[in-house]
Amino acid sequence: MRSKQIREMFTDFFTSRGHQPVPSSPLIPDDPTLLLANAGMNQFKPYFLGETSPPFPRATSIQKCARTSDIDNVGRTNRHATFFEMMGNFSFGDYFKEDAIAFAWELLTQGYGLEKDKLWITVFEDDDEAEHLWRRIGVPASRIQRLGMEDNYWSMGVPGPCGPCSEVNYDRGPAFGKEGGPAIDGERYVEIWNLVFMQFQRGEGDKKGNLPILGELANKSIDTGLGLDRLAAILQDAQNVCTTDLLLPTFHTVQDLAGRACPSEGEEKVSFQVVTEHARSIAFLIADGVLPAKDGRGYILRRLMRRAIRHARLLGIDGSVLPAATASVITNLGSVWPELTAQATLIEQVVTAEEESFTRTLAQGTRLLDAAISRTQSSGSAALPGETAFELADTYGFPLELTVEAARGAGLTVDEDRFAALLDEQKKRAKTGGRAKTAEALKKMDTYRELAARLPRTEFLGYEHLIAEITVTGLISDGTVVTTAGEGTEVELVLDRSPFYAEAGGQIGDTGTLTTSDGTRLRITDTRYGLEGFRVHSARVLEGELSTGAGGEAAVDGNRRKGLMRSHSATHILHAVVRATLGDHASQQGSLVEPDRLRFDFAHFAALTPDQLSQIEQAVNGHILDDPGVRAWYADRAEAEAAGAIALFGEKYGDTVRIVDIGDFSRELCGGTHVAHGSQVGAFRLLSESSIGSSLRRVEALTGHGTLGHTNTERRLLNEVAGLLGARPADAPDALRKRLDALATAQAELGRMRAAELRSRAAQLADKGRQVSGGQVVAEKVTGITPDELRQLAADTVGRIHSGPAIVVLALEHADKALLVAAVSPDLLSHGVQAVQVISRAAKAVGGGGGGAGALASAGGRLPEHLDQAIALAAEDATALLNDR
């Protein structure tokens, strides 16, 4: 059975049983606690937590998931992958264990035709009910195993729903491992379907992190996940996930690049499978808007890419591998996941740029490693220090495995224990910081949930009104729900209705004022979403005391809002122009909409040329001057996408979406506020363009009053410069150019005169040479020159002494510091005399140290008052060196 049939059968089975089919959410989740979507239930989490009422009692989905917790097992087992499609069915307080078990058994045995006697079941050790249901359906007790919390109990690790789970495992036969069921061998008895029974409520943890179970949930729910890769391997009798139809074309591509077939075992097999499997993850991550970066989800992508490249190099693939491998993923899976095809250009350019960059990194790391190996060998040590290996990996991205391999070739080992300790220290630092941030975020989220559970969602009036009569329905102070807040208190407000736009889609939140009927006044400093659909207003009580239930008037800062509207509409126009100029791959990756200015991030792989920037700026202003109409309308998601509306990566949309059209050139899903006509944006001015990461560019621009203010500043500066030059503003560039040319000519002439003067001084100093038995010594204190000229003067002086070996020492007091330079003639170098030997004692006399190799050395110190003593010491040492020659 091909994967296409597997997906269709799953969706049809559950749809026919009353489940609402829900499309996969992007791999970038709308969840601050997750970097990437890693389970089918992620997008339904608000329903399970009670933050939002589900629009349907049961659902089914095929969710794209990325998970790297088992990355080291990829290629070493037959079942692990960093990307997978999780087919799931969900019940939100509707059916429970009996139906979930019955559905799974029916679909597996009657739909997919799996042999009943090859299915093994695991249940939680205390879950008698689940075992009873499985036995009643026909599974003998001999094929049901009870496991503990680690294997068969699910929770999110935070207060909220939790419960036992039951896993369905398939026996692949003795060729895959030992007998004894899934408790004995996870390779032979492959877990294919996990049924989670959300039955209990977990409370706050104690100091050790234990989360007590408070009792049963009023509405018990179901969350299941059936892995498409694993089921496909069974139904297609494939050895591993790479030989299913999901990955086989990519597997063949990697073998073609390597010029040989994958062996049946060994390290080469691991490398073939790693490159194949990671190529799929890479393609899907980029298609969903993840780009390589130094941290976060971007680092996960970069790690996958570098790991795939490294394993390709181990296979002897010296040329590029990722462009061809990801292209095969797109060809194979693009019909099922159209975002792959839509972002094919983006994927190709990202992987090409990253592979070229990492190839350079490998070359640089190899040079540094070779030097470290030489130092280690010279020291007589048999082990390369762990610090060296860690620096290569952490700073230069050079993998430990390559360091170990290169060291082994040189007869050395690597102190991997020290490397592991340094890596662990780094992880602990990151984890500690991350845990603190997560704990703070979770505490705040708990407070929001407490209010959201009993308060209706705020009605947003801000599209039509900037002033509204409101009632305060909730108050939060210092993270705690309160009923009153006194003067000077910083609070968060929940209102029954609000004209304030909450930060979303790049547009920052509104500010303004709130005045209650009893005269209490507040300054609204920000507006944002605490939870999905739950609007929170940050405020400071300026006068009086605020109480829950108070009524009054809320007013948005109108001028600020107008500036935001101008910038938001300009962002949409800019997005359309950037895509038209650079290509559809240059899609928006992030934005910041502020009053009269904006920041816009987009995918691209090279700096924009001045001509491109000028073209973009002119095109944006051209659209603005054409005064296109701006229209907002609503439709269901499918209708909006069919109409060509652009959905932005990382944004979450409901079933009904708001679409904003600007003329006939821009159509985006957007909940933000906009001008009514394009000309209201005013003028648009690009300020800068820069790189903010691999394959990611950023432009910053001004709109409206921001542009006018900037233009006025530039006009004032131009007039000021023109006045200084004694020219009209239009003539200022030519006048300045002439002044600069004249200045350059004068500087060149001064340079020639200065060089002639230094040559003359060098001749005079050479004439002062004192004859000693082994040659001549010049030791003088000089003035009126720079430190750079001091070095040149010493070199010129020694070069003018032709009557045998010579040593020159010159001293200078400069910026309250003592400077010394020594120069020795070339014939002394052949006898082992180094310039640094001349000034070592002298440097100490002025409170410093010296350095340099060969014929020229310099020294400096903080005691210029000792320069005469230093010159005398240098002269003594110079004389001794010449006499001993």
Side-chain angles (χ1 to χ4, degrees):
M1 187 180 291
R2 302 297 90 188
S3 56
K4 183 175 184 291
Q5 295 169 280
I6 297 173
R7 294 188 194 93
E8 289 174 350
M9 180 175 288
F10 186 89
T11 301
D12 290 346
F13 178 89
F14 283 104
T15 301
S16 68
R17 286 155 180 79
H19 292 68
Q20 172 68 35
V22 178
S24 172
S25 66
L27 285 170
I28 299 178
D30 184 22
D31 186 334
T33 67
L34 291 173
L35 284 177
L36 296 168
N38 61 5
M41 62 80 64
N42 289 161
Q43 66 173 316
F44 303 118
K45 192 171 166 183
Y47 305 155
F48 290 127
L49 291 174
E51 297 173 359
T52 305
S53 297
F56 29 73
R58 48 179 75 179
T60 183
S61 71
I62 300 176
Q63 173 66 46
K64 297 177 293 186
C65 296
R67 191 184 298 171
T68 57
S69 54
D70 294 320
I71 192 171
D72 291 331
N73 290 324
V74 172
R76 300 191 179 278
T77 71
N78 293 314
R79 67 188 193 278
H80 283 101
T82 57
F83 173 89
F84 50 92
E85 297 177 43
M86 187 62 79
M87 305 187 294
N89 58 288
F90 307 88
S91 164
F92 312 114
D94 187 16
Y95 62 84
F96 199 50
K97 289 183 187 178
E98 182 174 3
D99 286 335
I101 288 170
F103 287 150
W105 187 255
E106 180 184 354
L107 180 55
L108 289 175
T109 59
Q110 298 180 33
Y112 294 123
L114 298 184
E115 304 95 318
K116 295 180 181 179
D117 61 358
K118 289 192 175 183
L119 295 176
W120 287 65
I121 308 299
T122 64
V123 298
F124 181 56
E125 55 193 0
D126 294 337
D127 196 350
D128 297 332
E129 180 186 4
E131 180 175 357
H132 170 72
L133 291 169
W134 282 115
R135 291 181 65 176
R136 193 174 75 183
I137 213 167
V139 182
S142 60
R143 293 208 309 276
I144 301 176
Q145 295 182 328
R146 292 188 180 232
L147 299 176
M149 293 283 290
E150 184 175 347
D151 297 294
N152 276 75
Y153 203 91
W154 176 89
S155 81
M156 291 184 292
V158 297
C162 64
C165 57
S166 181
E167 296 172 352
V168 183
N169 306 266
Y170 183 83
D171 180 4
R172 301 208 69 186
F176 287 83
K178 299 174 291 186
E179 291 186 7
I184 300 299
D185 194 320
E187 280 294 288
R188 172 172 172 174
Y189 303 89
V190 180
E191 174 206 336
I192 55 175
W193 204 339
N194 186 15
L195 314 179
V196 175
F197 310 129
M198 293 191 190
Q199 187 172 357
F200 301 104
Q201 174 77 20
R202 275 195 159 171
E204 292 286 347
D206 58 21
K207 292 182 180 180
K208 295 182 179 179
N210 299 312
L211 300 176
I213 294 176
L214 303 179
E216 291 206 347
L217 294 169
N219 295 313
K220 300 172 185 177
S221 298
I222 290 293
D223 157 29
T224 86
L226 172 60
L228 176 60
D229 279 10
R230 297 183 182 185
L231 182 58
I234 292 166
L235 294 176
Q236 297 170 18
D237 195 24
Q239 177 72 20
N240 54 62
V241 296
C242 288
T243 53
T244 67
D245 68 331
L246 292 160
L247 281 170
L248 190 58
T250 305
F251 196 43
H252 287 156
T253 297
V254 176
Q255 292 176 88
D256 290 342
L257 291 169
R260 62 186 183 282
C262 175
S264 59
E265 59 185 16
E267 291 301 310
E268 275 205 353
K269 178 188 176 186
V270 172
S271 292
F272 273 109
Q273 293 185 193
V274 166
V275 178
T276 300
E277 195 282 328
H278 285 9
R280 178 176 60 172
S281 302
I282 291 162
F284 273 93
L285 285 167
I286 297 171
D288 270 8
V290 181
L291 292 172
K294 294 180 179 179
D295 52 20
R297 59 179 65 96
Y299 176 74
I300 293 173
L301 172 61
R302 175 163 284 167
R303 183 186 180 198
L304 288 167
M305 297 170 81
R306 292 187 167 188
R307 200 165 186 266
I309 296 165
R310 180 175 62 82
H311 277 277
R313 300 297 181 263
L314 293 176
L315 292 173
I317 304 174
D318 294 327
S320 64
V321 64
L322 292 182
T326 52
S328 71
V329 172
I330 297 167
T331 301
N332 186 40
L333 298 175
S335 60
V336 179
W337 300 101
E339 59 268 35
L340 290 173
T341 303
Q343 299 298 331
T345 301
L346 176 66
I347 294 167
E348 179 186 10
Q349 293 182 329
V350 169
V351 299
T352 299
E354 188 69 14
E355 186 158 3
E356 290 174 353
S357 173
F358 187 49
T359 298
R360 291 192 295 270
T361 293
L362 288 175
Q364 181 183 23
T366 299
R367 290 194 297 271
L368 295 168
L369 178 57
D370 288 343
I373 287 173
S374 296
R375 289 196 302 271
T376 304
Q377 290 173 327
S378 299
S379 70
S381 174
L384 195 72
E387 286 82 359
T388 300
F390 181 76
E391 181 184 8
L392 283 167
D394 186 53
T395 305
Y396 300 100
F398 198 81
L400 174 64
E401 294 87 344
L402 290 185
T403 300
V404 171
E405 183 180 335
R408 187 184 300 121
L412 301 173
T413 61
V414 176
D415 188 350
E416 293 188 58
D417 290 341
R418 178 60 179 157
F419 176 92
L422 291 168
L423 185 62
D424 187 55
E425 289 174 13
Q426 185 187 63
K427 287 180 178 178
K428 284 179 179 176
R429 287 194 298 270
K431 190 174 183 180
T432 300
R435 188 185 297 120
K437 290 179 182 177
T438 301
E440 182 179 346
L442 289 173
K443 180 182 178 183
K444 185 169 284 190
M445 293 290 279
D446 286 342
T447 305
Y448 293 152
R449 289 191 192 104
E450 179 184 342
L451 280 178
R454 58 184 175 83
L455 295 180
R457 294 296 184 263
T458 303
E459 179 186 0
F460 178 56
L461 307 173
Y463 292 135
E464 294 83 21
H465 305 286
L466 297 184
I467 300 175
E469 295 298 318
I470 57 86
T471 300
V472 178
T473 57
L475 271 178
I476 301 171
S477 179
D478 291 330
T480 303
V481 176
V482 296
T483 57
T484 60
E487 187 172 314
T489 305
E490 302 286 343
V491 294
E492 291 179 304
L493 314 176
V494 180
L495 308 177
D496 63 336
R497 51 212 303 264
S498 172
F500 294 96
Y501 179 82
E503 180 175 346
Q507 180 176 334
I508 61 175
D510 279 334
T511 62
T513 59
L514 189 152
T515 306
T516 66
S517 55
D518 65 358
T520 299
R521 294 190 305 111
L522 292 89
R523 175 67 185 168
I524 305 296
T525 56
D526 192 15
T527 311
R528 55 192 170 75
Y529 288 107
L531 300 172
E532 182 185 353
F534 185 71
R535 194 177 302 261
V536 177
H537 307 73
S538 299
R540 180 179 179 81
V541 182
L542 301 178
E543 183 180 347
E545 181 178 78
L546 181 67
S547 300
T548 303
E553 181 181 88
V556 174
D557 183 334
N559 288 331
R560 184 175 182 274
R561 166 71 83 79
K562 289 177 183 177
L564 288 166
M565 292 161 64
R566 285 190 287 265
S567 294
H568 203 154
S569 296
T571 300
H572 281 225
I573 298 172
L574 175 62
H575 188 194
V577 169
V578 166
R579 284 165 59 91
T581 305
L582 304 177
D584 287 345
H585 71 275
S587 57
Q588 180 174 333
Q589 302 296 313
S591 69
L592 178 63
V593 176
E594 297 182 302
D596 299 325
R597 68 182 299 123
L598 64 90
R599 189 177 73 206
F600 181 78
D601 302 337
F602 59 98
H604 197 54
F605 312 95
L608 272 62
T609 66
D611 284 346
Q612 287 174 321
L613 290 170
S614 177
Q615 180 182 348
I616 289 170
E617 184 177 80
Q618 288 181 26
V620 171
N621 280 310
H623 283 306
I624 292 169
L625 290 173
D626 287 342
D627 196 25
V630 180
R631 179 174 74 102
W633 52 287
Y634 293 85
D636 62 48
R637 179 71 182 271
E639 180 185 352
E641 290 179 350
I646 296 175
L648 302 183
F649 290 131
E651 294 295 326
K652 188 165 185 176
Y653 305 99
D655 294 328
T656 300
V657 293
R658 182 173 182 260
I659 304 101
V660 174
D661 290 346
I662 301 181
D664 59 0
F665 58 87
S666 172
R667 172 168 288 173
E668 294 189 22
L669 305 187
C670 180
T673 63
H674 290 269
V675 298
H677 291 273
S679 61
Q680 292 174 338
V681 171
F684 173 88
R685 180 71 177 273
L686 277 178
L687 289 180
S688 65
E689 188 269 351
S690 61
S691 169
I692 56 169
S694 177
S695 310
L696 196 60
R697 310 299 301 181
R698 169 174 290 172
V699 294
E700 299 192 45
L702 298 173
T703 60
H705 292 297
T707 303
L708 295 176
H710 187 74
T711 301
N712 287 336
T713 298
E714 288 184 327
R715 182 188 297 117
R716 178 179 56 77
L717 291 173
L718 176 59
N719 287 333
E720 186 175 341
V721 170
L724 292 171
L725 293 169
R728 296 180 306 170
D731 298 330
D734 284 339
L736 179 58
R737 196 174 295 111
K738 289 176 182 177
R739 293 283 182 93
L740 291 175
D741 289 343
L743 179 60
T745 300
Q747 287 176 329
E749 181 60 28
L750 284 173
R752 287 191 292 271
M753 293 171 62
R754 186 63 172 168
E757 181 185 347
L758 288 175
R759 287 194 298 271
S760 175
R761 292 188 69 173
Q764 294 171 9
L765 288 168
D767 290 340
K768 292 183 179 181
R770 179 169 57 88
Q771 187 70 42
V772 298
S773 61
Q776 288 196 59
V777 175
V778 175
E780 297 287 335
K781 185 177 178 181
V782 296
T783 59
I785 61 175
T786 68
D788 286 340
E789 290 174 340
L790 181 67
R791 292 174 62 86
Q792 185 60 50
L793 183 59
D796 285 350
T797 302
V798 80
R800 290 179 174 275
I801 299 174
H802 304 296
S803 57
I807 296 177
V808 173
V809 181
L810 301 181
L812 172 70
E813 182 177 343
H814 181 80
D816 295 326
K817 291 182 181 179
L819 301 177
L820 293 160
V821 174
V824 300
S825 56
D827 49 358
L828 290 175
L829 290 176
S830 61
H831 288 83
V833 177
Q834 299 281 320
V836 71
Q837 296 172 263
V838 180
I839 54 172
S840 294
R841 284 202 304 152
K844 293 178 181 177
V846 293
L856 200 65
S858 58
R862 293 170 296 176
L863 303 174
E865 62 270 22
H866 294 169
L867 266 179
D868 290 337
Q869 177 189 352
I871 282 285
L873 289 172
E876 288 178 12
D877 290 340
T879 300
L881 286 168
L882 287 170
N883 290 338
D884 293 342
R885 180 173 60 85

